[in-house]
Amino acid sequence: MDSNLPCFILFILVGCVKCSSEYHPHNGTRHYDYCVLGAGPAGLQMGYFLSKAKRDYIILERNSGPGSFFNKYPRHRKLISINKIHTGRQNREFNLRHDWNSLLSDKPDLLLKRVSREFYPPADAFPLYLSTFVKELGLKVRYGVDIGRIRAVQSVTGRRYILTDQHVSDYTCSVLLVATGLWVPHKVEFVGSDLVEGYESISTNPEDYKDQSVLILGKGNSAFETAQSILGRASHVHMISSSPVRLAWQTHYVGDLRAVNNELIDTYQLKSLDGLLEAHLDKIVIAQRKEQGRTRSGEKKKEKKGQLYVTLKKFLQHQKQKNSSDVTGEELPGYYIDNFSLRKPYDRVIRCLGFRFNFSVFDSSACPPKSDNAKGRLPKVTAWYEGKNTPGLFVLGTAAHSRDYRSSAGGFVHGFRYTVRAVHRVLEQRYHSNPWPSTKLLTTQLQSWILKRVGEASGPYQMFEVLGDVILLRGSHCEYVEEFTLQALPQFSNLSGHEVSDHGLIVLVMQYGKKKIDYLGPERTEGDWTKAWKSNFLHPVLYYYDTLPTEEEMKLRPSGWALPRPKAIHHMVEDFLAEWDSPLSHIQPLRRFLEHCVQTDLRAFYAESCFRSALTHRKPPLFCQQGYLKRQGVAHRKQPWQHIHDAGLMPTEQDAGTSVADPAFSNCLAQAGASKSSGLKLDS
């Protein structure tokens, strides 16, 4: 017998055992450490990080390609996420501040601009870009898998999730990452809602609305996008919702109405047959007239067949018996209020109320609760995007927007590409004991690093007041942890794998001012650095804590604040160019704040000044301790350095961050004939 045959048989058997653990043909079960549900931008972004970390994962997608939502939406086929290619800069990180469509990867050219160079790209470009992303990065995506049921089970090895598809095949995983987005049309039930057309099914041909009177329910971007497409054909376009229009340039929230869609505001304010109204949709009625009515003066009304009327529930005479297609003239508001705004009939009513999360696929063991905001359309998640009461189930992308709903960019690609990265870092620490990436810096380098981050970092810039940089002070050095989830700061050590020392920490946040102002008025900005706290536009804010904030402090933080009250706070005054690098207005105030936090002089000195300081101070400036006195930046000439060493002027690493007087300096002073009680400042 060939001596290699037993080894070969053993190899085959081991391979079969391994395969059987991953795939069971008798029940179609496949097991992975990570299951990503959905191959939209959030799912693919997580897939990239899992692939890069060489994790066992699969992305499951019910459609035949990635980003299928964008094959249909927006209906009028133009994205409102900007694609600014020409920034005048070559810095890749900075340019991502103005590229709202591309995903993060280690390929510098794997950006949307490869597919489209338009400022507002066509919607068809995005699935094409995502397909390129999958192909070039070799992501593991399985298409045509329609998951209809998700349940959780507890076993001796821990909690796991079971996903069942349309073929009754099961996929099991230890961690479930839900990135299905929002695709179920949001509806409001009211009398006559069955007569309303949905945004998801309306005609997008403007000619189909020629000379028609149209009522649109909603005042978001989908509603205005629809209105804008038919303004030149429809006779009247009216819009109604419970709240007034919120303009993105006023609220700083990218999900509010964008200028690219707001032409109807012009035609409304300039009185050209279009208009905006406010009313609670659950209090209105959409009805058809069964028979012709009369006005109070007795004049007959001319009506088109199938026209729709808007009335109020309170005017229905026998509400329990009424159905939506039968109202009389006495039940219309115009019968009581002759100038009622919606007294004229409409040819069609269109619902444009956005989308909601699909909760229906989760059974009770695996379903996260509905969020308290966004009218319950989103799942409720923790500050690190784990579903409430569903350990091991994380929500990614637009569906996780409840954490920063109507405040930051977490519901959009240019925001959630960073929150997805934050979730991956949480996973790496929790399940693989890999701490959150950090950069170790000398304390004298901290100011320069902060200036670099505020000048180019895209994550905190886009996810303002949600992601921030945490600086762990360690005396002579510090650890710089980028883009931590701010609301999870009380759990920082567990989530990041980094401990906070007695020296405290600084948190760097980008935020807007909280004061209501005239955003186009003459006093909309603040240029005086001494009044930086009055800044209205996006600007860096640094919070200093001597200890980690507690959960209770986080809950009791002042209204509108991203973090609890710190020991010290510093606003860097807003800048028209968004470049916080001015020597007097930005850099010098920042240095003084940092000096207050680390209790040492952070100025840079020449070698001569360091030498003089070493002879006249018990504790030279930190710059001199870490540079000149460690022979950094000075020519290697043996005789002078031997003299300094013999004099005891070179402190150790341990000495560099302490305020205890170094006996070496006393020896030096004694040799120079100086008294120990000479009145020298200890902290100069």
Side-chain angles (χ1 to χ4, degrees):
M1 176 183 286
D2 189 342
S3 60
N4 293 325
L5 185 59
C7 294
F8 178 73
I9 294 173
L10 179 61
F11 175 78
I12 295 297
L13 290 174
V14 170
C16 291
V17 170
K18 182 177 180 181
C19 291
S20 66
S21 67
E22 296 178 351
Y23 176 60
H24 304 282
H26 62 279
N27 61 7
T29 300
R30 302 161 177 83
H31 179 78
Y32 301 90
D33 291 340
Y34 298 94
C35 283
V36 182
L37 191 58
L44 298 184
Q45 185 66 86
M46 177 56 77
Y48 162 72
F49 291 120
L50 292 172
S51 178
K52 188 176 180 181
K54 295 181 171 53
R55 302 302 172 205
D56 176 35
Y57 77 97
I58 190 68
I59 302 173
L60 303 175
E61 169 57 47
R62 63 178 183 152
N63 292 294
S64 58
S68 57
F69 179 88
F70 296 92
N71 290 328
K72 184 175 183 180
Y73 302 108
R75 294 301 312 282
H76 298 89
R77 314 310 294 144
K78 182 166 71 172
L79 300 178
I80 58 173
S81 46
I82 65 174
N83 181 39
K84 190 172 180 63
I85 296 172
H86 305 289
T87 66
R89 300 273 292 272
Q90 298 301 316
N91 185 298
R92 182 185 174 199
E93 179 71 12
F94 173 85
N95 287 342
L96 280 172
R97 289 183 172 185
H98 312 288
D99 175 351
W100 290 7
N101 301 279
S102 299
L103 300 180
L104 306 177
S105 75
D106 53 6
K107 292 196 170 188
D109 66 332
L110 192 50
L111 305 172
L112 186 82
K113 68 180 181 181
R114 189 194 293 187
V115 179
S116 173
R117 303 185 73 83
E118 294 184 39
F119 190 70
Y120 292 113
D124 293 330
F126 199 57
L128 181 58
Y129 165 68
L130 295 181
S131 296
T132 304
F133 191 85
V134 171
K135 181 178 179 181
E136 294 202 7
L137 296 174
L139 303 185
K140 300 175 184 177
V141 185
R142 186 163 295 165
Y143 298 107
V145 179
D146 190 0
I147 299 298
R149 185 189 180 198
I150 299 173
R151 63 193 188 276
V153 295
Q154 195 71 33
S155 65
V156 292
T157 57
R159 184 181 177 94
R160 61 192 175 94
Y161 290 89
I162 303 175
L163 290 69
T164 305
D165 68 10
Q166 74 272 33
H167 304 298
V168 201
S169 295
D170 288 341
Y171 298 81
T172 68
C173 53
S174 304
V175 179
L176 175 58
L177 302 158
V178 180
T180 53
L182 308 179
W183 59 270
V184 180
H186 182 60
K187 301 178 181 179
V188 175
E189 294 298 327
F190 54 85
V191 179
S193 58
D194 57 312
L195 299 174
V196 173
E197 301 174 67
Y199 172 73
E200 67 278 5
S201 59
I202 59 170
S203 169
T204 56
N205 182 1
E207 292 298 325
D208 291 341
Y209 301 85
K210 187 176 180 179
D211 206 31
Q212 292 185 359
S213 182
V214 180
L215 177 64
I216 296 176
L217 309 182
K219 294 200 198 98
N221 280 296
S222 63
F224 272 89
E225 164 210 332
T226 301
Q228 189 145 310
S229 72
I230 63 176
L231 281 182
R233 299 294 187 277
S235 61
H236 296 75
V237 179
H238 293 165
M239 305 179 73
I240 186 171
S241 71
S242 59
S243 59
V245 172
R246 290 180 287 242
L247 301 169
W249 59 265
Q250 288 182 321
T251 64
H252 306 304
Y253 175 57
V254 69
D256 284 336
L257 179 60
R258 303 288 301 287
V260 69
N261 281 331
N262 71 8
E263 290 179 13
L264 184 135
I265 294 179
D266 265 10
T267 57
Y268 167 46
Q269 292 292 350
L270 299 177
K271 301 308 293 179
S272 186
L273 300 179
D274 304 318
L276 305 171
L277 294 159
E278 285 73 49
H280 289 281
L281 298 185
D282 57 358
K283 294 182 179 180
I284 69 171
V285 174
I286 304 295
Q288 290 177 319
R289 293 284 298 279
K290 189 172 184 180
E291 58 185 37
Q292 191 180 56
R294 294 176 180 269
T295 64
R296 297 184 68 179
S297 62
E299 180 185 350
K300 287 187 178 182
K301 293 183 177 181
K302 293 181 180 179
E303 300 172 0
K304 294 180 183 178
K305 185 179 179 181
Q307 284 190 308
L308 304 174
Y309 285 82
V310 178
T311 185
L312 304 177
K313 287 175 67 175
K314 66 181 180 180
F315 293 133
L316 296 187
Q317 295 173 0
H318 304 287
Q319 294 187 32
K320 292 184 179 179
Q321 286 77 31
K322 287 290 175 185
N323 87 33
S324 60
S325 62
D326 183 14
V327 294
T328 64
E330 289 77 11
E331 293 174 308
L332 295 176
Y335 184 83
Y336 304 96
I337 310 169
D338 63 356
N339 68 338
F340 182 68
S341 301
L342 302 178
R343 61 186 180 272
K344 292 290 185 72
Y346 293 95
D347 295 296
R348 58 208 307 171
V349 180
I350 301 173
R351 167 183 39 78
C352 299
L353 301 175
F355 301 88
R356 61 179 176 84
F357 183 72
N358 182 22
F359 289 93
S360 66
V361 297
F362 299 88
D363 75 4
S364 58
S365 65
C367 188
K370 294 182 178 180
S371 63
D372 300 326
N373 56 13
K375 300 177 181 178
R377 294 186 296 131
L378 303 172
K380 193 172 187 178
V381 295
T382 66
W384 51 96
Y385 300 95
E386 191 169 17
K388 287 281 189 178
N389 307 321
T390 54
L393 184 155
F394 292 80
V395 183
L396 310 176
T398 304
H401 193 29
S402 61
R403 285 308 312 178
D404 63 308
Y405 183 67
R406 296 199 46 75
S407 62
S408 196
F412 312 92
V413 174
H414 64 290
F416 65 61
R417 60 191 178 194
Y418 302 106
T419 58
V420 168
R421 180 162 64 185
V423 170
H424 180 254
R425 288 169 172 172
V426 169
L427 299 176
E428 285 293 300
Q429 163 60 18
R430 178 185 293 185
Y431 298 108
H432 308 286
S433 300
N434 292 327
W436 200 290
S438 66
T439 302
K440 187 173 180 179
L441 303 168
L442 294 175
T443 301
T444 51
Q445 299 172 320
L446 179 57
Q447 175 182 285
S448 297
W449 198 264
I450 290 175
L451 291 172
K452 172 183 170 65
R453 290 289 293 170
V454 301
E456 68 180 37
S458 182
Y461 189 88
Q462 303 291 14
M463 289 304 299
F464 54 88
E465 302 183 29
V466 175
L467 298 181
D469 294 352
V470 179
I471 304 160
L472 305 174
L473 303 177
R474 310 284 195 204
S476 63
H477 71 280
C478 59
E479 284 187 75
Y480 201 103
V481 178
E482 296 179 0
E483 297 171 25
F484 189 76
T485 53
L486 296 178
Q487 302 308 308
L489 199 58
Q491 293 82 25
F492 176 80
S493 297
N494 288 335
L495 295 175
S496 71
H498 297 282
E499 296 296 329
V500 178
S501 75
D502 295 338
H503 294 276
L505 67 154
I506 298 172
V507 184
L508 171 61
V509 185
M510 300 294 289
Q511 65 184 54
Y512 283 95
K514 304 303 178 184
K515 186 174 64 175
K516 297 295 182 182
I517 62 168
D518 180 355
Y519 291 97
L520 295 179
E523 298 180 357
R524 62 186 179 272
T525 62
E526 180 59 61
D528 185 350
W529 69 267
T530 65
K531 299 176 182 177
W533 56 276
K534 291 185 176 182
S535 296
N536 294 311
F537 286 86
L538 195 66
H539 64 285
V541 183
L542 292 94
Y543 295 73
Y544 168 69
Y545 300 94
D546 53 0
T547 59
L548 202 62
T550 64
E551 190 70 42
E552 186 68 15
E553 288 172 333
M554 185 64 73
K555 291 179 181 178
L556 298 177
R557 68 187 186 275
S559 177
W561 283 45
L563 292 169
R565 291 190 183 276
K567 286 289 182 180
I569 190 169
H570 176 67
H571 291 252
M572 296 179 70
V573 70
E574 60 187 318
D575 187 76
F576 179 74
L577 300 176
E579 297 177 358
W580 292 274
D581 57 2
S582 301
L584 297 180
S585 295
H586 300 125
I587 298 176
Q588 182 170 277
L590 172 63
R591 176 177 63 80
R592 289 174 175 170
F593 171 77
L594 294 176
E595 288 177 338
H596 170 76
C597 297
V598 301
Q599 290 294 296
T600 190
D601 190 335
L602 292 179
R603 288 176 297 177
F605 294 88
Y606 290 106
E608 181 181 352
S609 299
C610 288
F611 182 72
R612 185 183 300 109
S613 179
L615 292 175
T616 57
H617 293 70
R618 294 184 180 181
K619 183 185 176 186
L622 197 57
F623 177 87
C624 298
Q625 296 177 41
Q626 295 177 344
Y628 175 78
L629 294 179
K630 288 191 174 181
R631 304 178 62 177
Q632 295 182 12
V634 180
H636 286 218
R637 294 172 58 188
K638 182 176 180 181
Q639 187 173 357
W641 277 105
Q642 187 64 44
H643 173 75
I644 293 171
H645 183 272
D646 294 342
L649 294 179
M650 295 180 63
T652 64
E653 176 72 18
Q654 181 179 359
D655 300 326
T658 65
S659 59
V660 179
D662 189 337
F665 289 104
S666 298
N667 295 338
C668 173
L669 293 172
Q671 293 176 21
S675 169
K676 293 182 182 179
S677 59
S678 58
L680 298 174
K681 295 181 181 179
L682 296 178
D683 293 315
S684 298

